[in-house]
C-alpha cells in the first residue's frame, strides 16, 4: 500500500543528490508534480515501507501527507 506525500529537500541538496533520490523512488513509487519555484521538492505516491526510510535521509527537510487545502474568506 502507498500514500501520497509531499517531499521537500533541504536547500543544501544538490541536483545530483535529488536526481539519485528520484531514481530510487521511481523504482517503487510515482511522482505526480515537481516543485521548484519556492522549494525543492515534489508530490509522489510512496510505498509505506519507504516513508520512514526517506524521512531520515540527510537531504530531506520534511515529508508530509499530500492533500487538499481550503480556506474561508
Amino acid at each position: 500500500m502507498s500514500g501520497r506525500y509531499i517531499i521537500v529537500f533541504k536547500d543544501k541538496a544538490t541536483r545530483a543528490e535529488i536526481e539519485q533520490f528520484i531514481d530510487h523512488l521511481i523504482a517503487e513509487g510515482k511522482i505526480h508534480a515537481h516543485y521548484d519555484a519556492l522549494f525543492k521538492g515534489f508530490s509522489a505516491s510512496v510505498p509505506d515501507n519507504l516513508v520512514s526510510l526517506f524521512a531520515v535521509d540527510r537531504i530531506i527537510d520534511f515529508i508530509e501527507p499530500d492533500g487538499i487545502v481550503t480556506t474561508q474568506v
Side-chain angles (χ1 to χ4, degrees), residues 39-50:
F39 56 87
K40 299 176 187 178
F42 54 85
S43 67
S45 292
V46 181
D48 292 336
N49 64 323
L50 292 181

Side-chain angles (χ1 to χ4, degrees), residues 30-68:
K30 179 181 178 185
I31 294 177
H32 300 286
H34 287 266
Y35 307 117
D36 58 8
L38 297 175
F39 56 87
K40 299 176 187 178
F42 54 85
S43 67
S45 292
V46 181
D48 292 336
N49 64 323
L50 292 181
V51 174
S52 59
L53 177 66
F54 287 171
V56 296
D57 192 296
R58 65 179 182 78
I59 66 169
I60 299 297
D61 193 11
F62 64 89
I63 298 176
E64 67 178 47
D66 194 1
I68 298 172

